[in-house]
């Protein structure tokens, strides 16, 4: 559960660009594939203006982030329970903006074009230099036209990657981002007790 929460916080506080005119707003749903040193995890993501929803396949856990309300709901459908946590970041207006432009200590070098599912993707080598100037990260990103975030991000050695597939543009149903009805609201402490009890039973 904690890993899922960290994933949601990371993606929506770091990867989403700054707000720009509403005409550039991109709302969508997609499947995502995360690979890490031989392990693979899949799930679904839904994004609307100031809202997001993550569903990790096989985990029976859902993370809904409401940037507008500054709240995160960790939802557990099998338990019919949910946990509410504050979202400490600034509201994010949308998935919009020119990600391909250099920003501060981040730079992108165009590598090549590649055709995938009838889309021409642009591959970049990304270099991120940290404030102290003593360390940096380098990785690859692929972009497609009319979609402002990378459809694929991959480490230089290819062992770690994150990819969106089956992307469908358009606003997902608003109920996907609503506070769960008919569910019992519990605290993180109560959730930990439930998880400990389940672990002992197994």
């Amino acid at each position: 559960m904690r890993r899922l929460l960290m994933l949601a916080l990371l993606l929506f506080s770091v990867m989403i660009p700054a707000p720009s005119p509403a005409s550039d707003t991109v709302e969508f749903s997609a499947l995502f594939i995360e690979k890490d040193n031989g392990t693979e995890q899949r799930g679904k993501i839904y994004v609307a203006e100031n809202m997001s929803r993550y569903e990790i396949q096989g985990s029976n856990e859902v993370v809904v982030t409401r940037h507008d309300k500054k709240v995160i709901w960790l939802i557990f459908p099998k338990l019919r329970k949910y946990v509410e946590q504050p979202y400490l970041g600034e509201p994010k207006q949308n998935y919009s903006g020119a990600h391909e432009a250099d920003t501060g200590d981040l730079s992108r070098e165009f590598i090549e074009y590649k055709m995938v599912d009838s889309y021409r993707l642009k591959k970049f080598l990304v270099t991120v230099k940290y404030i102290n100037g003593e360390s940096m990260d380098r990785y690859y990103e692929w972009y497609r036209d009319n979609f402002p975030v990378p459809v694929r991000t991959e480490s230089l050695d290819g062992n770690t990657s994150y990819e969106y597939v089956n992307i469908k543009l358009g606003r997902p149903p608003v109920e996907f981002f609503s506070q769960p009805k008919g569910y019992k609201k519990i605290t993180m402490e109560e959730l930990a007790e439930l998880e400990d009890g389940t672990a002992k039973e197994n």
Side-chain angles (χ1 to χ4, degrees), residues 55-134:
E55 301 176 0
I56 305 297
Q57 183 176 320
S59 70
N60 193 44
E61 299 171 2
V62 176
V63 174
V64 173
T65 303
R66 290 293 300 265
H67 305 289
D68 54 344
K69 296 180 179 293
K70 293 191 174 182
V71 68
I72 296 173
W73 293 310
L74 309 178
I75 304 169
F76 304 90
K78 279 190 176 180
L79 300 175
R80 304 288 294 180
K81 294 178 173 63
Y82 74 100
V83 176
E84 183 174 291
Q85 291 285 286
Y87 174 74
L88 303 178
E90 291 299 318
K92 303 294 184 180
Q93 298 299 320
N94 49 55
Y95 262 63
S96 61
H99 254 248
E100 297 168 15
D102 294 351
T103 305
D105 292 324
L106 183 150
S107 62
R108 291 180 174 84
E109 176 188 350
F110 173 73
I111 302 298
E112 64 180 357
Y113 289 105
K114 182 179 180 180
M115 293 298 297
V116 176
D117 294 334
S118 76
Y119 287 98
R120 187 179 71 165
L121 302 186
K122 291 178 280 189
K123 181 180 180 181
F124 291 86
L125 173 63
V126 180
T127 301
V128 182
K129 295 182 181 179
Y130 296 104
I131 295 175
N132 59 21
E134 297 177 358

Side-chain angles (χ1 to χ4, degrees), residues 5-18 52 65 67 87-90 92 95:
L5 173 58
M6 290 303 296
L7 173 63
L9 289 175
L10 176 64
L11 289 175
F12 289 95
S13 64
V14 178
M15 287 183 62
I16 299 180
S52 65
T65 303
H67 305 289
Y87 174 74
L88 303 178
E90 291 299 318
K92 303 294 184 180
Y95 262 63

Side-chain angles (χ1 to χ4, degrees), residues 147-158:
F147 197 70
V149 293
V151 295
R152 181 178 176 86
T153 301
E154 182 180 277
S155 60
L156 293 184
D157 60 14

